[in-house]
Amino acid sequence: MAISIRIKELDKGPHRQRAALDTDWCAADLGGAYTPAAEQLVVNVRATRAGTVIEVVAEVRGGFRFACSRCAAPADLEVETEFTHHFVTAGSLDQGDVGDRPFEADPDISEHDGDQIQLRDLCIEHTILALPSYPLCDETCKGLCGACGVNLNEETCNCAQQVDPYSPWAVLAKLETEPSS
């Protein structure tokens, strides 16, 4: 579903809109790390105009499923992200060019076509940025045992007490520490 604002609607004053963002983009853009918990994310948009500048504040909310980065257990994550983006009339950004050196615009400013503003790609971009790179089922997740593969959140193993004699850290296991006074 397209998420757009007709610029003429802003002549009446601030514009508010609630829309749904289809999650058909998730498979390609998230590489399988996350799957959406529903077919759509909820988007709330507020747009205002000040002269030739249109300010859009959008909030995207929705749920995702993932495998924990430490223990591989399935988990859910609710994402809520808000962003502000400004739109100016076409050609406005070119006015900042100096000679052969183009104006380095703010990444939160774009040009619009004079008719409508498309927000779908911005909503997707900010949703992706809100997702953690290494999601965890819980901040205290202990992960998997590197030797036997048991989930250390569910049970303990004896592998941690066995030191690989060829490990570069084996020497440290032999050190005894004195209690501090």
Side-chain angles (χ1 to χ4, degrees):
M1 170 188 265
I3 302 172
S4 61
I5 299 169
R6 293 189 111 14
I7 294 173
K8 289 217 181 265
E9 291 181 23
L10 296 172
D11 293 342
K12 303 172 195 169
H15 172 76
R16 292 186 184 276
Q17 176 181 343
R18 185 180 183 121
L21 175 63
D22 290 334
T23 55
D24 56 351
W25 54 271
C26 292
D29 292 345
L30 298 178
Y34 290 93
T35 56
E39 291 183 16
Q40 297 177 325
L41 304 177
V42 176
V43 180
N44 291 307
V45 178
R46 186 182 81 243
T48 55
R49 174 187 263 169
T52 60
V53 178
I54 298 171
E55 178 183 75
V56 174
V57 178
E59 175 191 81
V60 183
R61 285 183 287 121
F64 291 89
R65 294 187 178 101
F66 63 94
C68 177
S69 295
R70 287 187 189 155
C71 70
D76 294 320
L77 173 69
E78 283 295 317
V79 172
E80 185 172 324
T81 183
E82 184 177 297
F83 65 91
T84 302
H85 199 87
H86 296 89
F87 293 87
V88 295
T89 54
S92 297
L93 294 178
D94 295 335
Q95 294 175 4
D97 291 352
V98 179
D100 294 335
R101 201 176 77 224
F103 175 66
E104 294 184 24
D106 184 327
D108 294 326
I109 299 176
S110 301
E111 294 180 344
H112 61 76
D113 64 7
D115 182 38
Q116 63 182 352
I117 295 172
Q118 299 295 333
L119 297 173
R120 183 180 188 275
D121 289 344
L122 284 170
C123 290
I124 291 171
E125 176 183 337
H126 285 276
T127 301
I128 291 170
L129 291 172
L131 295 170
S133 300
Y134 299 98
L136 301 176
C137 61
D138 187 272
E139 287 298 317
T140 60
C141 178
K142 297 175 185 175
L144 302 175
C145 172
C148 69
V150 77
N151 185 338
L152 297 173
N153 298 311
E154 297 171 356
E155 57 185 284
T156 57
C157 67
N158 295 327
C159 300
Q161 296 166 4
Q162 299 173 2
V163 178
D164 178 4
Y166 300 107
S167 165
W169 305 108
V171 175
L172 295 176
K174 296 177 186 174
L175 295 177
E176 292 184 27
T177 58
E178 294 182 24
S180 59
S181 49

